Amino acid sequence: MSAPAPEVAKHVKKPFNKAAWREKKYSHGHKVEQWRDKQKLSMARNYQKMIRKDEKKAEFQNKGSKKENPNLEPIGEKKSLVEKMEDRRPAQSGYNRAKSKFEDKVASKQKKQEEILNRQKEKEEAIKKYKEKKAVKMKALSAKTRRGQPVMAGRIEMLLEQIQEQCKDD
């Protein structure tokens, strides 16, 4: 009824070779052989890397020389001398670069110092204003008659001011 399926090539396990295994495991000659193979591969990689670097260097030098020779550029693509000068950024020497960096640091430090002083002045002014307001309030609240009774006029005025401020806010 059903035809037997064609036999698929089965993976046949190789018999264990103890002598070969011991040779790989314990033999100095085998380890030396592995080291030689690794060295060959390493040398081949280094050689290929060196060739790639030389090719890149040669390619860069060839392109660089073409760009500097104005006769090799097509006529329509030539830039005027003024445009070329605008394209270039002024190259700074190490000293000038360090000097400008230092000046930037000094300027930022000075700016921070000014900001700190401004904040400190604002804080002092706010404290001074608060203390004056508090002194006026205490004077009104601690006012006494000749007999030691509290003067109510100042207290009532303060209450009136508070009510007026609340009405303004609403």
Side-chain angles (χ1 to χ4, degrees), residues 150-162:
V151 177
M152 296 303 287
R155 292 170 185 249
I156 292 176
E157 276 193 39
M158 280 180 43
L159 287 172
L160 178 65
E161 287 175 10
Q162 285 179 353

Side-chain angles (χ1 to χ4, degrees), residues 109-123:
K109 201 173 188 180
Q110 193 173 16
K111 188 177 178 183
K112 281 183 182 179
Q113 193 69 26
E114 289 174 1
E115 288 176 5
I116 290 170
L117 288 174
N118 287 339
R119 273 191 259 133
Q120 201 172 18
K121 284 181 183 177
E122 289 173 3
K123 189 176 179 183

Side-chain angles (χ1 to χ4, degrees), residues 18 20 71 75 80 111 125 129 146 158:
K18 190 171 186 178
N71 296 326
I75 295 173
S80 68
K111 188 177 178 183
E125 289 173 8
K129 190 176 179 183
R146 277 188 272 169
M158 280 180 43

Side-chain angles (χ1 to χ4, degrees), residues 91-106:
Q92 290 185 331
S93 67
Y95 172 75
N96 290 338
R97 199 171 24 241
K99 187 176 179 182
S100 64
K101 197 174 185 182
F102 174 74
E103 289 172 354
D104 291 342
K105 278 186 181 180
V106 168

